[in-house]
Amino acid sequence: MKKKQCIAMLLAGGQGSRLGRLTTNIAKPAVSFGGKYRIIDFGLSNCVNSGIDTVGILVQYKPLVLNKYVGTGESWDLAVADGGVHILPPYAGETGGEWYEGTADAIYHNIDFIDMYAPEHVLILSGDHIYKMDYNLMLEEHLKKDADLTVSVIEVPWEEASRFGIMTADEEGNIVKFSEKPKEPDSNLASMGIYIFRWDALRKALLEDHEAEKTGHDFGGDIIPKMLAEQKKLIVYRFEGYWRDVGTVKSYYDSQMDLMDDIEEINIYTKENKIFSNSNMFPPQFIGPDANIRDSLICNGCTVYGTVKHSILGSGAVVGAGSVIEDSIILPNAIVGRDCVVKNAIINEGVVTGDNEQMVSAEGKIEVFGKAKLSI
């Protein structure tokens, strides 16, 4: 097997409890986004656009839809013989099987998989972020500075810095301090949860962390502080593009509104660095004679008889006659009946509403209506 310079490990096992009903039956990375995409499409597409052809996807919480969606990886051009995409669930070993105890523990339990490709470097990704990024540029910086670990960071407003893991770096970009959600931050460089490790350094750190008595087996809480204490070479890579953590219903909603309102900042429709998807083949949209659509994204397979304003309709969604959809997201295969009002809301995937229903979020809050009925 050909030795790889860099492979990716994509952490996709999170429950995403803060997303409420959106993740009742589905892992967060498999949640629909932008009509025809799922959140995991961004990490996978970034990999293939960066020339990384070997990706391990670490799954755990309700992985059925995610497993089926990813399949062989063909939709992302990752169905290759010497590499490709691999679904990596927790498994039983000699001492039994158990769920991953943290992000670092998940990678530890897949050391054999990584060793199989003998990479020089390992890219660690989270499966729940929305962004377009060329990982090659980050790898070039990592190699240029001969780093043990490179952490991708983004500048955030100072008043928001206490919400993130914060990296403090010197003028040359060397990390001198890491603070997890500090009350009084001394830096506004927020970790994006994107890491490139020298594999030999990470492998050693994972083995030691596994044997440690007091550890949360987490990259931010344990691995990075330990490497800093050991004076390893840790550097930041400054990212200046669009990046959003869609960990809450509000951030999930806002980032999709950005698709329409900030098209230049997050342009997922360009051919360059395209975002790929394994959405089903749907027929073209059908727009009824009395339909009224303004400032909206309407995916293939949608049927619209009513009014849609500043909203996103996922693939296969239906809007009945007389219904008004405004500032809302209708997830794939959801059917909104006749004479309904949907405003500032999210209609869950596959939900079928009745007629004359009012689905309007309370003031200052974005609500998710209905329990998902999933099909891929």
Side-chain angles (χ1 to χ4, degrees):
M1 185 173 292
K2 182 181 178 181
K3 184 177 180 179
K4 302 285 184 177
Q5 181 186 38
C6 184
I7 71 170
M9 299 293 280
L10 197 156
L11 298 165
Q15 181 176 350
S17 57
R18 290 183 298 162
L19 287 176
R21 291 179 176 179
L22 292 171
T23 54
T24 299
N25 296 316
I26 189 173
K28 182 163 61 170
V31 170
S32 175
F33 187 92
K36 65 172 289 186
Y37 303 99
R38 295 188 182 270
I39 295 173
I40 197 171
D41 287 333
F42 291 84
L44 289 177
S45 298
N46 288 334
C47 283
V48 70
N49 290 332
S50 303
I52 296 174
D53 65 0
T54 304
V55 183
I57 301 178
L58 287 74
V59 299
Q60 183 160 267
Y61 172 79
K62 296 193 175 181
L64 180 61
V65 172
L66 187 62
N67 293 354
K68 187 174 181 181
Y69 181 73
V70 172
T72 64
E74 183 177 2
S75 296
W76 301 269
D77 200 25
L78 287 170
V80 297
D82 186 18
V85 65
H86 303 260
I87 300 293
L88 303 172
Y91 60 90
E94 292 181 359
T95 58
E98 55 189 16
W99 276 30
Y100 300 136
E101 296 179 12
T103 52
D105 185 61
I107 302 298
Y108 166 81
H109 282 287
N110 288 280
I111 283 178
D112 289 346
F113 169 81
I114 300 173
D115 281 342
M116 183 169 63
Y117 290 99
E120 297 175 33
H121 310 278
V122 175
L123 170 67
I124 308 293
L125 304 172
S126 296
D128 53 3
H129 297 155
I130 304 301
Y131 66 109
K132 293 173 71 174
M133 182 176 179
D134 185 348
Y135 300 134
N136 276 324
L137 299 178
M138 183 177 174
L139 181 59
E140 286 175 5
E141 188 76 4
H142 177 77
L143 295 173
K144 177 182 177 181
K145 294 190 175 180
D146 193 25
D148 294 297
L149 165 62
T150 300
V151 180
S152 185
V153 297
I154 189 167
E155 288 191 19
V156 297
W158 280 93
E159 62 271 18
E160 296 182 15
S162 59
R163 295 174 44 229
F164 297 91
I166 295 297
M167 299 291 171
T168 304
D170 63 20
E171 293 182 356
E172 296 180 353
N174 298 303
I175 298 172
V176 297
K177 179 182 176 183
F178 171 73
S179 307
E180 183 64 42
K181 298 181 180 179
K183 291 182 179 180
E184 298 181 0
D186 58 6
S187 167
N188 67 337
L189 296 179
S191 170
M192 298 167 63
I194 302 171
Y195 314 117
I196 296 180
F197 287 89
R198 270 198 310 111
W199 174 228
D200 57 352
L202 175 57
R203 195 180 194 282
K204 177 177 180 291
L206 291 173
L207 291 172
E208 292 175 352
D209 179 74
H210 180 71
E211 297 298 328
E213 293 183 1
K214 295 182 179 180
T215 175
H217 305 295
D218 183 74
F219 280 111
D222 303 287
I223 299 296
I224 293 176
K226 186 173 186 297
M227 293 182 74
L228 269 175
E230 294 174 347
Q231 298 186 327
K232 300 292 186 182
K233 178 76 169 180
L234 277 62
I235 67 168
V236 295
Y237 171 76
R238 294 173 180 260
F239 179 71
E240 298 180 350
Y242 182 96
W243 176 83
R244 292 291 184 275
D245 180 345
V246 288
T248 67
V249 171
K250 182 68 164 58
S251 62
Y252 171 79
Y253 173 89
D254 288 345
S255 60
Q256 293 189 79
M257 293 297 107
D258 287 345
L259 294 179
M260 295 180 286
D261 300 336
D262 296 319
I263 195 70
E264 293 302 322
E265 186 177 3
I266 176 175
N267 192 343
I268 64 176
Y269 309 105
T270 58
K271 292 183 178 179
E272 183 181 0
N273 294 327
K274 179 180 176 181
I275 302 298
F276 299 91
S277 170
N278 187 19
S279 59
N280 276 338
M281 298 298 293
F282 284 91
Q285 308 98 329
F286 175 80
I287 310 300
D290 298 321
N292 180 6
I293 300 174
R294 286 182 282 167
D295 189 22
S296 297
L297 298 178
I298 311 297
C299 290
N300 283 0
C302 290
T303 302
V304 182
Y305 295 99
T307 297
V308 181
K309 302 177 183 178
H310 195 253
S311 296
I312 297 175
L313 302 190
S315 302
V318 176
V319 177
S323 289
V324 177
I325 314 296
E326 187 172 357
D327 295 319
S328 295
I329 301 167
I330 313 299
L331 296 187
N333 298 311
I335 299 175
V336 177
R338 294 171 174 265
D339 300 312
C340 295
V341 176
V342 181
K343 188 172 183 179
N344 295 320
I346 300 170
I347 306 301
N348 219 336
E349 189 165 348
V351 166
V352 179
T353 79
D355 297 335
N356 301 294
E357 292 196 21
Q358 302 283 315
M359 290 158 281
V360 180
S361 296
E363 187 174 352
K365 181 180 180 182
I366 300 300
E367 295 186 42
V368 180
F369 290 86
K371 185 177 180 180
K373 297 178 182 178
L374 303 169
S375 62
I376 293 183

